[in-house]
């Protein structure tokens, strides 16, 4: 069973629908016991950083998520909040990835929205993909770091995906990225 973390935002239904298309059972929940005992966990992301962290803190999920030992996938804001800090609301994240999240400089249209290419794929989730164009919607980006497993360039190069131990993150939305997004989710399901 896959637990999709419920909080005061997120695109939880889109993620659940994508998993259903792949015949993967899932539950949308904020129950710490259910999350702790799930085979895999997805931390989806659409929303605002400070209110999302407040919601996680209220339910004790800010302490639980970093201790999980099963595969965990953060999507968009979910990945950003797995980092140390975000400039969005000057919010402290979960600290899984020791990097900062910054706002794109206004040298082009922000948010970065639409299809874009990623490169330098070196993660188990991404390394054998047949395509590398994904759907993005974000105004903040994760810096490049030792955890970066792929790169996208919009205004500047940023981490399109991250990995540290059992924690994976993608800035793009696999649930909105068609066939190649399904491949990423399938690869996560196989972990």
């Amino acid at each position: 069973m896959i637990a999709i973390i419920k909080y005061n935002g997120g695109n939880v239904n889109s993620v659940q629908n994508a998993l259903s298309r792949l015949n993967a059972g899932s539950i949308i929940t904020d129950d710490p016991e259910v999350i702790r005992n799930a085979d895999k966990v997805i931390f989806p992301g659409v929303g605002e950083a400070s209110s999302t962290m407040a919601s996680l803190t209220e339910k004790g999920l800010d302490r639980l998520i970093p201790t999980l030992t099963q595969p965990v996938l953060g999507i968009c804001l979910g990945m950003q909040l797995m980092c140390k800090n975000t400039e969005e609301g000057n919010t402290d994240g979960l600290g899984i990835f020791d990097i900062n999240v910054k706002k794109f400089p206004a040298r082009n249209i922000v948010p970065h929205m639409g299809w874009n290419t990623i490169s330098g794929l070196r993660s188990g989730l991404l390394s054998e993909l047949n395509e590398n164009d994904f759907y993005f919607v974000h105004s903040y980006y994760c810096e490049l770091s030792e955890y970066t497993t792929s790169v996208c360039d919009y205004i500047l190069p940023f981490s399109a995906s991250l990995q540290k131990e059992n924690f994976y993150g993608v800035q793009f939305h696999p649930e909105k990225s068609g066939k190649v997004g399904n491949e990423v989710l399938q690869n996560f399901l196989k972990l």
Side-chain angles (χ1 to χ4, degrees), residues 56-89:
L56 295 174
T57 301
E58 178 184 319
K59 297 172 172 84
L61 300 180
D62 61 322
R63 294 182 306 279
L64 171 66
I65 294 169
T67 68
L68 296 175
T69 56
Q70 68 269 60
V72 178
L73 175 63
I75 298 173
C76 196
L77 178 62
M79 177 177 92
Q80 292 178 0
L81 290 178
M82 291 164 72
C83 296
K84 180 172 60 177
N85 177 276
T86 176
E87 288 182 355
E88 186 176 18

Side-chain angles (χ1 to χ4, degrees), residues 18-34:
L19 292 172
S20 293
R21 287 191 301 270
L22 298 173
N23 297 314
S26 64
I27 182 170
I28 298 170
T29 183
D30 59 6
D31 183 323
E33 252 340 275
V34 173

Side-chain angles (χ1 to χ4, degrees), residues 79-181:
M79 177 177 92
Q80 292 178 0
L81 290 178
M82 291 164 72
C83 296
K84 180 172 60 177
N85 177 276
T86 176
E87 288 182 355
E88 186 176 18
N90 191 26
T91 304
D92 288 334
L94 301 173
I96 295 164
F97 299 110
D98 188 23
I99 55 176
N100 297 306
V101 178
K102 298 186 174 186
K103 184 167 182 140
F104 278 119
R107 296 194 303 249
N108 203 335
I109 296 169
V110 176
H112 170 213
M113 185 163 64
W115 294 86
N116 207 336
T117 302
I118 63 172
S119 61
L121 287 69
R122 60 176 188 87
S123 162
L125 289 182
L126 307 176
S127 60
E128 296 181 17
L129 297 180
N130 295 319
E131 300 176 46
N132 58 354
D133 287 336
F134 293 90
Y135 189 79
F136 290 84
V137 181
H138 61 121
S139 299
Y140 296 81
Y141 67 93
C142 295
E143 296 178 303
L144 297 177
S145 73
E146 64 186 291
Y147 311 111
T148 300
T149 56
S150 69
V151 177
C152 184
D153 197 327
Y154 183 79
I155 303 176
L156 45 73
F158 64 88
S159 293
S161 60
L162 300 170
Q163 182 187 354
K164 178 183 177 185
E165 298 163 355
N166 58 306
F167 293 96
Y168 299 81
V170 291
Q171 183 60 65
F172 53 84
H173 287 272
E175 75 283 4
K176 296 180 181 183
S177 294
K179 182 175 178 282
V180 71

